[in-house]
Amino acid sequence: MWGSGMSTETAEEPAGKAGGGPGPSVRMSVFALMIAVMLAMLDNMIVGTAMPTIVGELGGLEHLSWVVTAYTLTTAASTPLWGKIGDMYGRKGVFLTSIVVFLAGSVASGAAQTMSQLIGFRALQGLGAGGLMVGAMAIMGELVPPRERGKYMGMMAGVMSLAMIGGPLVGGTLTDHLGWRWAFYINVPLGGIALVMVVTLLHLPRRRAKGSIDYTGAVLLTTGITSAVLVTSWGGTEYDWSSSVIIGLSVLALAAVVAFLVVERRAAEPVLPLGIFRSRNFSLMALIGFLLGFVMFGAMTFLPLYQQSVQGASATNSGLLLLPVLLPMMVVSVTTGRATTRTGRYRAYPVIGGALIPVGLFLLAQLDVGTSRTTSALYMMVLGAGMGFLMQLTMLIAQNSVELKDMGVASSTTTLFRTIGGSFGVALMGTLFADRVRETMTERAGAAAGGGPSGGGGTPAQLDAASLERLPAQVREAYEHAVADGTHTVFLVAAVTALLMFVATWFVKEVPLKGGEPAAEDETEPTPEPEGTVSPV
C-alpha cells in the first residue's frame, strides 16, 4: 500500500503496475484527463477574445463582467463539492458527470440569444468546470503512485501552458471565420473524445459512501466562497471597497467560514475533513497555492496590458505575448516532474521556485516606457521558470500528504486555495493599478485628462496599440507612462507577497514519494487520520 493509515474500506492500490509504473491503458486514461483539463483551460482563453463580438451582437455591455464572474463563481463554489462527492461515490462517474454538465453549458452558451441567457448558461458551464480540473487531478492520484506522478503532472502543466498560448489564437480565428458561437461549440468534439476515452479506458475501483453528504457544511462553504469571490470581483469596480455591499459580503463570508469550521468539526462525513490540515506539508501547499495564485494571475493579467499599451504589441496575438513566461514554465514543469519521478526527491524544487518568483517579479517591477522587448522577455523567463518549479509540485506534495480516500478533497482544496488567491490577486492589483494610472495621468496630462482614456465608470481603459495611435501625442505619452507606473506598482506588491511564499517553502518536509522504489518505513510522515477511522492491523 502506498497510502498510510488507510481504512479497510477505502484502501486501494493505484492502477499502475506494481513496481513497474503505469501501463498503456493508464497512459491513455491520463491522456483523456489531459483533454478534459484542456477543456477547462481553453474555455476562458478562447471566450475572452470573442467577448467584443458577443457584446456587439447581444448587447448588454453593462453586464459584461458577469459573463466572467458567473463562470468563476460557480467554478470556485463547486470545486470542493465535486472533490468530496468523488471521494464518497467513486471518481469515474462524478468526473463523467462534470464533463456532461460542462458540455451542456457550452452548447447552451453557444445558443444564447440574450446576455442574460449567456450569463446563466456560463454559470452552468462553470459548475461543470469545477469538476473537470479536480476530477482529473484526483483520478491521476488514484491511477498513478506519487513516485510516478511527477512526470505526468509535468505533462499536465505543458497542456495547460499550450492552452494558454493557443486559446486566444483559436478564439480569434473561430470568431473571425465561424462566428463567436463556435468559441463555445468547439468544446463539444473535444469533450466527446474525452467522454469516450474515459468510459472505455478508465477503470477505477467502485466505492460506496458510508454516510450522507454534509449538506449544512456544503451550504456554508458555498456561501463563504461565493461571498469572497463576489468581494474580490466587485470590490473597487462595481462598488467601492467601503460600500455597504462589499462590507456586508465580507462579513457574510467571514461568518460563513467560522460557522463552517464549527460544523465540520462535528460532521460525520465532512465536506472538508479538517484533519488533513494536521499534515504540515498539506497546510503549506494550501498556503503556497494561495500565494502562487495571487502572484500568477496578477502577472498574467497585467503583462499583456503593458506589452500592448507601452510596447505596442498586437492584441490579436495576446497568447504569444506570454510565451517568455509560458515556455520556461512548461519546460521546467516537465523537467522537474521527470526528475521527481526518477529520484523520488522534490524538496529543493519548491525552494528554488520560491526564490525565482520574487526575483522575476522584482525585475518586472523595473519595466518602464524605455524597456525593450528583449529585456522584458528575459525578466518574464525568470518568472516563468519559478512558476514551473511550483505549479504541479504543489498538487503532488498535497496529494502525497493525505490518504487515498481523501484524494479528491486534497485536490479540490489545493485548487480552491489557488483560485481564491488568484481572485484576490487580480482584484487587489487591479485596484492598485487603476489608482496609479489615474494619478500619473493627472500629473502628466493635467486634470482634464486625469481619468485617462477610460471606459465606463472612469476606470482607465485597456487600449490596444491601434487605439493609442489615435490619441493626441501628449495624452498617449502620458498614458504609456501611467501604465508603466501602474505595472511597477502591481509587480512590486506581487514581489513582496512572493517573498512570503519563499519563506513558506523552507518549511516543506521531504516525505519520500511512494510507489517507486521502496522507502524505509521510518522515513514516512504519518498521515493524520480523521476521527473514527480504523486502520487495519
Side-chain angles (χ1 to χ4, degrees):
M1 298 290 180
W2 60 273
S4 59
M6 298 276 183
S7 69
T8 55
E9 298 187 24
T10 58
E12 311 280 2
E13 289 284 359
K17 296 176 183 178
S25 63
V26 172
R27 286 193 288 269
M28 291 300 295
S29 297
V30 171
F31 179 70
L33 300 180
M34 290 182 181
I35 295 176
V37 169
M38 181 174 285
L39 275 176
M41 292 297 300
L42 270 176
D43 185 74
N44 265 339
M45 305 303 295
I46 290 179
V47 172
T49 56
M51 284 311 300
T53 305
I54 293 174
V55 172
E57 181 173 328
L58 298 183
L61 178 62
E62 67 277 12
H63 303 304
L64 177 62
S65 63
W66 269 105
V67 176
V68 177
T69 301
Y71 182 90
T72 304
L73 196 60
T74 52
T75 298
S78 65
T79 292
L81 302 181
W82 283 114
K84 182 60 180 179
I85 294 172
D87 285 341
M88 294 180 66
Y89 297 106
R91 305 190 210 286
K92 181 176 179 178
V94 173
F95 185 58
L96 289 172
T97 301
S98 71
I99 296 177
V100 171
V101 172
F102 180 83
L103 293 181
S106 298
V107 172
S109 295
Q113 300 301 310
T114 66
M115 186 61 78
S116 297
Q117 290 180 7
L118 179 60
I119 291 170
F121 295 144
R122 283 284 283 168
L124 176 64
Q125 193 182 22
L127 181 65
L132 289 180
M133 187 72 73
V134 171
M137 293 300 177
I139 290 173
M140 185 180 294
E142 189 158 336
L143 283 175
V144 186
R147 180 66 180 270
E148 298 287 333
R149 204 176 301 154
K151 62 182 179 183
Y152 287 99
M153 287 196 166
M155 293 166 61
M156 192 76 76
V159 169
M160 294 166 64
S161 300
L162 183 63
M164 297 177 74
I165 295 170
L169 299 176
V170 173
T173 302
L174 289 173
T175 302
D176 290 341
H177 295 89
L178 297 177
W180 65 265
R181 298 183 187 278
W182 277 94
F184 298 102
Y185 292 153
I186 189 63
N187 294 326
V188 176
L190 287 174
I193 293 172
L195 274 174
V196 171
M197 293 184 70
V198 170
V199 169
T200 58
L201 298 176
L202 182 61
H203 304 288
L204 295 175
R206 295 184 179 274
R207 183 176 288 108
R208 290 185 178 180
K210 294 186 294 183
S212 59
I213 297 176
D214 174 23
Y215 292 105
T216 302
V219 170
L220 289 171
L221 182 60
T222 302
T223 301
I225 293 172
T226 300
S227 302
V229 171
L230 287 177
V231 166
T232 57
S233 298
W234 287 351
T237 54
E238 299 286 334
Y239 303 95
D240 291 334
W241 286 103
S242 58
S243 68
S244 59
V245 173
I246 297 301
I247 293 175
L249 285 172
S250 300
V251 171
L252 178 60
L254 180 61
V257 170
V258 172
F260 172 76
L261 294 176
V262 173
V263 169
E264 293 306 274
R265 291 178 64 88
R266 302 174 180 176
E269 193 65 51
V271 174
L272 178 58
L274 301 182
I276 62 178
F277 288 98
R278 295 175 193 154
S279 167
R280 183 175 75 185
N281 273 5
F282 183 85
S283 297
L284 285 170
M285 289 306 106
L287 173 61
I288 291 171
F290 176 87
L291 296 173
L292 180 61
F294 187 99
V295 301
M296 181 178 70
F297 285 99
M300 294 301 187
T301 299
F302 294 101
L303 272 174
L305 175 57
Y306 168 82
Q307 292 172 308
Q308 293 171 33
S309 300
V310 180
Q311 295 183 325
S314 170
T316 57
N317 294 325
S318 54
L320 297 179
L321 298 179
L322 296 175
L323 275 177
V325 173
L326 298 174
L327 285 181
M329 184 175 73
M330 179 172 61
V331 171
V332 171
S333 293
V334 173
T335 303
T336 54
R338 290 186 177 278
T340 301
T341 296
R342 185 176 64 254
T343 66
R345 301 288 179 179
Y346 55 81
R347 184 179 181 275
Y349 301 137
V351 175
I352 295 172
L356 287 176
I357 289 176
V359 170
L361 290 169
F362 273 120
L363 290 173
L364 289 171
Q366 311 311 310
L367 296 175
D368 57 32
V369 293
T371 305
S372 68
R373 292 191 185 184
T374 301
T375 301
S376 60
L378 291 174
Y379 294 168
M380 293 163 68
M381 290 176 68
V382 176
L383 176 63
M387 291 195 299
F389 279 107
L390 280 169
M391 274 289 291
Q392 298 303 315
L393 276 179
T394 52
M395 181 67 71
L396 174 61
I397 297 172
Q399 290 181 342
N400 194 53
S401 303
V402 301
E403 302 175 28
L404 182 58
K405 69 183 182 67
D406 289 326
M407 192 68 66
V409 167
S411 303
S412 63
T413 303
T414 306
T415 303
L416 176 64
F417 271 82
R418 187 179 297 179
T419 301
I420 297 296
S423 298
F424 273 90
V426 171
L428 176 60
M429 292 183 197
T431 300
L432 294 173
F433 178 84
D435 290 344
R436 186 58 183 153
V437 168
R438 277 191 289 265
E439 291 174 6
T440 304
M441 287 295 295
T442 301
E443 293 171 1
R444 287 184 170 270
S454 62
T459 302
Q462 299 182 6
L463 300 184
D464 57 27
S467 301
L468 285 171
E469 287 297 324
R470 293 192 292 268
L471 294 175
Q474 181 185 9
V475 177
R476 181 174 68 247
E477 182 182 354
Y479 185 63
E480 290 174 356
H481 280 88
V483 171
D485 287 351
T487 303
H488 169 79
T489 299
V490 298
F491 282 123
L492 200 58
V493 170
V496 173
T497 304
L499 287 175
L500 300 176
M501 183 170 60
F502 175 57
V503 172
T505 60
W506 281 94
F507 293 92
V508 175
K509 183 178 180 182
E510 182 84 77
V511 181
L513 301 175
K514 309 206 178 57
E517 296 176 3
E521 193 69 27
D522 60 357
E523 290 179 3
T524 60
E525 179 183 47
T527 304
E529 299 178 9
E531 293 182 9
T533 299
V534 179
S535 300
V537 178

